Amino acid sequence: MIKRLLSYFYPIKIYSQKSALSQSLEITWANGDLVMDSLNTNYSYGSLQRILKLGLKNIGFAKIKKMNHILILGVAGGSVVKTLVDDIEFKGKITGVEIDSEIIKIANQFFKLNEIPQLEIIIDDAFEFILKTTEKYDLIVIDIFQDTKMPNFLFESYFIDRICFLLKSKGVVLFNTMLLNQAIRNKKLISEFKKEDFAIKSIPRVENHNELIVIEKLV
């Protein structure tokens, strides 16, 4: 409790670990909340939770609440899961795909992801997973970072086509990107997106360094 109160004045790191895939994973009390950070950016809760919550609000909490199955590519500490369950009161199934098993262990320890009954965590590479899955989803959240970098495959047409194929009727994709080194790729993705029966838009300059891309299946 004392650390939490002091965190309103300055951040207090309470846990740090390296994993095979991340240079540094830290849990910190900041402004009264626990957050997960990598070496150079916020991974879960904090600004990332605000960014994705804005995107979910743009889609519509009421619409999301009526959905049945949501896929999250890139779970980290699970802040978007918490928003879905606690703020939106989503009761359907959530499938989370995370490549780094160490992150999930930390998320279970500090954020109790393993206590959310409708959440299934799959340890897998996101690209490999979308090639294998036979499910269709109402909402797909893409939030994949390696510190401040994003894997190239996220911007390849084959990946985007496959993601769109996995949407149910009237389904939505919420794609979180970082503008530090992705601005040109974002513009290219949006300008070249010509899929029939789909609409694409961006929510630019969220928390200064992020841009959200929303793809909606119209039929």
Side-chain angles (χ1 to χ4, degrees):
M1 183 60 73
I2 292 175
K3 290 180 179 179
R4 184 175 186 176
L5 291 173
L6 289 174
S7 73
Y8 286 100
F9 301 98
Y10 52 87
I12 299 176
K13 183 169 66 177
I14 62 171
Y15 183 87
S16 180
Q17 179 183 325
K18 291 185 178 182
S19 76
L21 296 170
S22 302
Q23 286 182 296
S24 175
L25 295 171
E26 298 178 351
I27 301 295
T28 304
W29 280 108
N31 295 314
D33 293 318
L34 280 179
V35 301
M36 177 186 283
D37 295 323
S38 65
L39 185 64
N40 296 300
T41 192
N42 176 237
Y43 255 18
S44 284
Y45 306 92
S47 63
L48 179 63
Q49 188 167 27
R50 294 192 297 271
I51 290 164
L52 290 175
K53 189 172 182 178
L54 177 66
L56 295 172
K57 279 184 178 179
N58 187 272
I59 294 167
F61 280 10
K63 179 177 179 176
I64 294 170
K65 192 172 182 178
K66 295 176 183 177
M67 293 177 175
N68 294 308
H69 196 174
I70 294 174
L71 173 64
I72 300 170
L73 300 177
V75 177
S79 56
V80 69
V81 177
K82 294 284 190 174
T83 298
L84 289 168
V85 173
D86 296 340
D87 298 335
I88 301 177
E89 298 181 345
F90 176 73
K91 304 297 184 185
K93 183 177 180 180
I94 303 171
T95 298
V97 179
E98 173 58 55
I99 195 171
D100 192 342
S101 60
E102 292 301 319
I103 284 183
I104 297 301
K105 289 177 183 177
I106 296 169
N108 288 341
Q109 179 182 349
F110 289 97
F111 304 109
K112 309 301 181 187
L113 287 193
N114 53 332
E115 296 181 8
I116 300 173
Q118 74 245 53
L119 174 63
E120 179 188 14
I121 297 291
I122 297 172
I123 304 299
D124 200 356
D125 177 271
F127 189 73
E128 294 293 329
F129 176 84
I130 67 156
L131 295 179
K132 294 181 291 189
T133 184
T134 58
E135 295 279 345
K136 292 288 182 91
Y137 305 92
D138 299 289
L139 171 63
I140 300 175
V141 179
I142 306 170
D143 189 38
I144 299 175
F145 295 89
Q146 295 167 344
D147 196 31
T148 60
K149 297 180 180 179
M150 302 182 70
N152 290 330
F153 75 81
L154 294 172
F155 297 88
E156 293 175 358
S157 59
Y158 184 84
F159 176 80
I160 298 298
D161 288 348
R162 180 64 181 172
I163 288 293
C164 290
F165 173 77
L166 295 176
L167 286 179
K168 293 181 182 179
S169 175
K170 306 288 187 178
V172 185
V173 177
L174 178 60
F175 183 12
N176 181 27
T177 72
M178 189 171 286
L179 292 176
L180 293 176
N181 44 26
Q182 266 74 46
I184 294 175
R185 291 197 292 188
N186 284 13
K187 289 179 181 178
K188 185 173 185 290
L189 189 160
I190 293 168
S191 66
E192 294 182 357
F193 187 88
K194 306 295 183 186
K195 292 183 70 64
E196 189 175 349
D197 298 326
F198 285 84
I200 189 169
K201 66 179 180 180
S202 68
I203 306 173
R205 290 294 172 188
V206 184
E207 296 277 332
N208 295 321
H209 299 303
N210 290 70
E211 180 175 41
L212 294 168
I213 297 173
V214 180
I215 301 172
E216 184 175 3
K217 190 173 184 179
L218 302 176
V219 297

mmCIF file of all heavy atoms in Angstrom, residues 10 16 26 32 34 37-38 40 43 50 83 89 91-93 113 132 140 172 180 206 210 212-213 215:
data_model
loop_
_atom_site.group_PDB
_atom_site.id
_atom_site.type_symbol
_atom_site.label_atom_id
_atom_site.label_comp_id
_atom_site.label_asym_id
_atom_site.label_seq_id
_atom_site.Cartn_x
_atom_site.Cartn_y
_atom_site.Cartn_z
ATOM 1 N N TYR A 10 6.410 9.233 -7.810
ATOM 2 C CA TYR A 10 7.458 8.719 -8.699
ATOM 3 C C TYR A 10 7.243 7.218 -8.888
ATOM 4 O O TYR A 10 6.731 6.538 -7.994
ATOM 5 C CB TYR A 10 8.856 8.993 -8.127
ATOM 6 C CG TYR A 10 9.057 8.534 -6.705
ATOM 7 C CD1 TYR A 10 9.456 7.224 -6.407
ATOM 8 C CD2 TYR A 10 8.856 9.412 -5.642
ATOM 9 C CE1 TYR A 10 9.640 6.809 -5.100
ATOM 10 C CE2 TYR A 10 9.031 9.010 -4.334
ATOM 11 C CZ TYR A 10 9.438 7.700 -4.066
ATOM 12 O OH TYR A 10 9.598 7.291 -2.752
ATOM 13 N N SER A 16 11.633 -7.206 -12.006
ATOM 14 C CA SER A 16 12.339 -7.093 -13.286
ATOM 15 C C SER A 16 12.832 -8.464 -13.709
ATOM 16 O O SER A 16 13.310 -9.246 -12.871
ATOM 17 C CB SER A 16 13.514 -6.117 -13.163
ATOM 18 O OG SER A 16 14.196 -6.012 -14.397
ATOM 19 N N GLU A 26 9.459 -5.385 -16.875
ATOM 20 C CA GLU A 26 9.407 -4.778 -15.547
ATOM 21 C C GLU A 26 7.962 -4.562 -15.109
ATOM 22 O O GLU A 26 7.102 -4.232 -15.922
ATOM 23 C CB GLU A 26 10.129 -3.425 -15.549
ATOM 24 C CG GLU A 26 11.619 -3.520 -15.877
ATOM 25 C CD GLU A 26 12.287 -2.151 -15.911
ATOM 26 O OE1 GLU A 26 11.545 -1.131 -15.848
ATOM 27 O OE2 GLU A 26 13.520 -2.099 -16.005
ATOM 28 N N GLY A 32 -0.444 4.911 -8.919
ATOM 29 C CA GLY A 32 -1.387 4.064 -8.199
ATOM 30 C C GLY A 32 -1.777 2.781 -8.894
ATOM 31 O O GLY A 32 -2.579 2.003 -8.373
ATOM 32 N N LEU A 34 -0.474 -0.818 -11.215
ATOM 33 C CA LEU A 34 0.603 -1.680 -11.685
ATOM 34 C C LEU A 34 0.643 -1.644 -13.202
ATOM 35 O O LEU A 34 -0.395 -1.770 -13.861
ATOM 36 C CB LEU A 34 0.384 -3.124 -11.226
ATOM 37 C CG LEU A 34 0.767 -3.489 -9.793
ATOM 38 C CD1 LEU A 34 0.439 -4.957 -9.541
ATOM 39 C CD2 LEU A 34 2.241 -3.228 -9.523
ATOM 40 N N ASP A 37 6.197 -2.897 -18.343
ATOM 41 C CA ASP A 37 6.987 -2.171 -19.330
ATOM 42 C C ASP A 37 8.087 -3.055 -19.898
ATOM 43 O O ASP A 37 8.600 -3.957 -19.229
ATOM 44 C CB ASP A 37 7.643 -0.939 -18.701
ATOM 45 C CG ASP A 37 6.629 0.097 -18.240
ATOM 46 O OD1 ASP A 37 5.612 0.272 -18.933
ATOM 47 O OD2 ASP A 37 6.842 0.711 -17.180
ATOM 48 N N SER A 38 8.455 -2.769 -21.150
ATOM 49 C CA SER A 38 9.674 -3.329 -21.726
ATOM 50 C C SER A 38 10.781 -2.303 -21.516
ATOM 51 O O SER A 38 10.620 -1.342 -20.777
ATOM 52 C CB SER A 38 9.475 -3.638 -23.209
ATOM 53 O OG SER A 38 9.271 -2.436 -23.934
ATOM 54 N N ASN A 40 11.940 0.059 -23.414
ATOM 55 C CA ASN A 40 11.709 1.423 -23.902
ATOM 56 C C ASN A 40 10.248 1.836 -24.035
ATOM 57 O O ASN A 40 9.969 2.962 -24.464
ATOM 58 C CB ASN A 40 12.384 1.601 -25.278
ATOM 59 C CG ASN A 40 13.891 1.473 -25.200
ATOM 60 O OD1 ASN A 40 14.537 2.232 -24.495
ATOM 61 N ND2 ASN A 40 14.440 0.493 -25.902
ATOM 62 N N TYR A 43 4.146 -1.934 -22.064
ATOM 63 C CA TYR A 43 3.641 -3.160 -22.663
ATOM 64 C C TYR A 43 2.187 -3.436 -22.288
ATOM 65 O O TYR A 43 1.441 -4.007 -23.075
ATOM 66 C CB TYR A 43 4.511 -4.342 -22.224
ATOM 67 C CG TYR A 43 5.455 -4.848 -23.290
ATOM 68 C CD1 TYR A 43 5.787 -4.084 -24.388
ATOM 69 C CD2 TYR A 43 6.034 -6.107 -23.182
ATOM 70 C CE1 TYR A 43 6.663 -4.546 -25.362
ATOM 71 C CE2 TYR A 43 6.919 -6.583 -24.145
ATOM 72 C CZ TYR A 43 7.222 -5.794 -25.231
ATOM 73 O OH TYR A 43 8.098 -6.265 -26.186
ATOM 74 N N ARG A 50 -4.947 2.725 -22.247
ATOM 75 C CA ARG A 50 -5.724 3.877 -22.711
ATOM 76 C C ARG A 50 -5.859 3.872 -24.234
ATOM 77 O O ARG A 50 -6.913 4.199 -24.788
ATOM 78 C CB ARG A 50 -5.066 5.186 -22.243
ATOM 79 C CG ARG A 50 -5.089 5.389 -20.743
ATOM 80 C CD ARG A 50 -4.711 6.807 -20.366
ATOM 81 N NE ARG A 50 -3.352 7.159 -20.744
ATOM 82 C CZ ARG A 50 -2.282 6.968 -19.969
ATOM 83 N NH1 ARG A 50 -2.421 6.398 -18.776
ATOM 84 N NH2 ARG A 50 -1.084 7.334 -20.370
ATOM 85 N N THR A 83 -9.859 -4.694 -19.912
ATOM 86 C CA THR A 83 -10.825 -3.712 -20.408
ATOM 87 C C THR A 83 -12.085 -4.408 -20.906
ATOM 88 O O THR A 83 -13.210 -3.987 -20.615
ATOM 89 C CB THR A 83 -10.216 -2.863 -21.534
ATOM 90 O OG1 THR A 83 -9.094 -2.129 -21.027
ATOM 91 C CG2 THR A 83 -11.230 -1.878 -22.088
ATOM 92 N N GLU A 89 -17.707 -5.517 -19.814
ATOM 93 C CA GLU A 89 -18.468 -6.644 -19.261
ATOM 94 C C GLU A 89 -18.778 -7.676 -20.349
ATOM 95 O O GLU A 89 -19.872 -8.227 -20.431
ATOM 96 C CB GLU A 89 -19.743 -6.161 -18.572
ATOM 97 C CG GLU A 89 -19.460 -5.226 -17.382
ATOM 98 C CD GLU A 89 -20.723 -4.767 -16.673
ATOM 99 O OE1 GLU A 89 -21.826 -4.922 -17.245
ATOM 100 O OE2 GLU A 89 -20.609 -4.270 -15.542
ATOM 101 N N LYS A 91 -18.926 -11.121 -22.017
ATOM 102 C CA LYS A 91 -19.152 -12.435 -21.418
ATOM 103 C C LYS A 91 -18.771 -13.588 -22.337
ATOM 104 O O LYS A 91 -18.825 -14.752 -21.937
ATOM 105 C CB LYS A 91 -20.631 -12.589 -21.021
ATOM 106 C CG LYS A 91 -21.161 -11.509 -20.086
ATOM 107 C CD LYS A 91 -20.455 -11.520 -18.745
ATOM 108 C CE LYS A 91 -21.079 -10.488 -17.803
ATOM 109 N NZ LYS A 91 -20.332 -10.385 -16.517
ATOM 110 N N GLY A 92 -18.407 -13.279 -23.575
ATOM 111 C CA GLY A 92 -18.086 -14.332 -24.531
ATOM 112 C C GLY A 92 -16.678 -14.878 -24.342
ATOM 113 O O GLY A 92 -16.003 -14.603 -23.351
ATOM 114 N N LYS A 93 -16.230 -15.643 -25.323
ATOM 115 C CA LYS A 93 -14.914 -16.278 -25.257
ATOM 116 C C LYS A 93 -13.826 -15.323 -25.744
ATOM 117 O O LYS A 93 -14.022 -14.597 -26.726
ATOM 118 C CB LYS A 93 -14.900 -17.548 -26.106
ATOM 119 C CG LYS A 93 -13.584 -18.313 -26.046
ATOM 120 C CD LYS A 93 -13.636 -19.598 -26.847
ATOM 121 C CE LYS A 93 -12.300 -20.340 -26.773
ATOM 122 N NZ LYS A 93 -12.308 -21.601 -27.553
ATOM 123 N N LEU A 113 -4.376 -13.080 -14.777
ATOM 124 C CA LEU A 113 -5.043 -13.459 -16.015
ATOM 125 C C LEU A 113 -5.614 -14.868 -15.936
ATOM 126 O O LEU A 113 -6.652 -15.164 -16.523
ATOM 127 C CB LEU A 113 -4.074 -13.378 -17.208
ATOM 128 C CG LEU A 113 -3.677 -12.001 -17.729
ATOM 129 C CD1 LEU A 113 -3.007 -12.147 -19.072
ATOM 130 C CD2 LEU A 113 -4.856 -11.058 -17.824
ATOM 131 N N LYS A 132 -3.234 -21.581 -38.847
ATOM 132 C CA LYS A 132 -3.759 -22.870 -38.374
ATOM 133 C C LYS A 132 -5.206 -22.812 -37.912
ATOM 134 O O LYS A 132 -5.933 -23.804 -38.015
ATOM 135 C CB LYS A 132 -2.894 -23.390 -37.217
ATOM 136 C CG LYS A 132 -1.470 -23.742 -37.603
ATOM 137 C CD LYS A 132 -0.679 -24.268 -36.429
ATOM 138 C CE LYS A 132 -0.396 -23.198 -35.395
ATOM 139 N NZ LYS A 132 0.548 -23.626 -34.339
ATOM 140 N N ILE A 140 -10.868 -8.977 -33.819
ATOM 141 C CA ILE A 140 -9.459 -9.383 -33.739
ATOM 142 C C ILE A 140 -8.644 -8.158 -33.357
ATOM 143 O O ILE A 140 -8.647 -7.151 -34.067
ATOM 144 C CB ILE A 140 -8.955 -9.968 -35.074
ATOM 145 C CG1 ILE A 140 -9.784 -11.203 -35.463
ATOM 146 C CG2 ILE A 140 -7.471 -10.336 -34.970
ATOM 147 C CD1 ILE A 140 -9.433 -11.779 -36.827
ATOM 148 N N VAL A 172 -14.712 -6.970 -36.838
ATOM 149 C CA VAL A 172 -13.839 -5.797 -36.810
ATOM 150 C C VAL A 172 -12.418 -6.205 -36.427
ATOM 151 O O VAL A 172 -12.220 -7.080 -35.577
ATOM 152 C CB VAL A 172 -14.348 -4.743 -35.808
ATOM 153 C CG1 VAL A 172 -13.491 -3.475 -35.872
ATOM 154 C CG2 VAL A 172 -15.809 -4.410 -36.042
ATOM 155 N N LEU A 180 6.744 5.477 -34.454
ATOM 156 C CA LEU A 180 8.175 5.793 -34.414
ATOM 157 C C LEU A 180 8.880 5.340 -35.684
ATOM 158 O O LEU A 180 9.749 6.030 -36.203
ATOM 159 C CB LEU A 180 8.823 5.123 -33.192
ATOM 160 C CG LEU A 180 8.384 5.662 -31.828
ATOM 161 C CD1 LEU A 180 9.033 4.840 -30.718
ATOM 162 C CD2 LEU A 180 8.766 7.130 -31.678
ATOM 163 N N VAL A 206 -2.509 8.670 -31.281
ATOM 164 C CA VAL A 206 -3.051 8.311 -29.977
ATOM 165 C C VAL A 206 -1.888 8.251 -28.995
ATOM 166 O O VAL A 206 -0.917 7.526 -29.226
ATOM 167 C CB VAL A 206 -3.780 6.953 -30.032
ATOM 168 C CG1 VAL A 206 -4.418 6.643 -28.681
ATOM 169 C CG2 VAL A 206 -4.818 6.955 -31.140
ATOM 170 N N ASN A 210 1.303 6.490 -31.172
ATOM 171 C CA ASN A 210 0.563 5.341 -31.700
ATOM 172 C C ASN A 210 -0.501 5.771 -32.697
ATOM 173 O O ASN A 210 -1.013 6.881 -32.644
ATOM 174 C CB ASN A 210 -0.097 4.556 -30.566
ATOM 175 C CG ASN A 210 0.907 3.831 -29.708
ATOM 176 O OD1 ASN A 210 1.662 4.456 -28.972
ATOM 177 N ND2 ASN A 210 0.924 2.509 -29.791
ATOM 178 N N LEU A 212 -4.016 3.837 -34.431
ATOM 179 C CA LEU A 212 -4.886 2.669 -34.495
ATOM 180 C C LEU A 212 -5.474 2.561 -35.898
ATOM 181 O O LEU A 212 -5.938 3.556 -36.462
ATOM 182 C CB LEU A 212 -6.010 2.784 -33.471
ATOM 183 C CG LEU A 212 -5.584 2.754 -32.002
ATOM 184 C CD1 LEU A 212 -6.738 3.173 -31.106
ATOM 185 C CD2 LEU A 212 -5.082 1.375 -31.616
ATOM 186 N N ILE A 213 -5.447 1.351 -36.442
ATOM 187 C CA ILE A 213 -6.072 1.077 -37.731
ATOM 188 C C ILE A 213 -7.268 0.165 -37.475
ATOM 189 O O ILE A 213 -7.139 -0.866 -36.809
ATOM 190 C CB ILE A 213 -5.082 0.424 -38.704
ATOM 191 C CG1 ILE A 213 -3.925 1.391 -39.002
ATOM 192 C CG2 ILE A 213 -5.779 0.014 -40.002
ATOM 193 C CD1 ILE A 213 -2.807 0.789 -39.818
ATOM 194 N N ILE A 215 -10.328 -2.012 -39.244
ATOM 195 C CA ILE A 215 -10.862 -2.634 -40.460
ATOM 196 C C ILE A 215 -12.196 -3.280 -40.093
ATOM 197 O O ILE A 215 -12.267 -4.067 -39.142
ATOM 198 C CB ILE A 215 -9.906 -3.691 -41.022
ATOM 199 C CG1 ILE A 215 -8.546 -3.065 -41.354
ATOM 200 C CG2 ILE A 215 -10.506 -4.364 -42.257
ATOM 201 C CD1 ILE A 215 -7.487 -4.084 -41.743
#
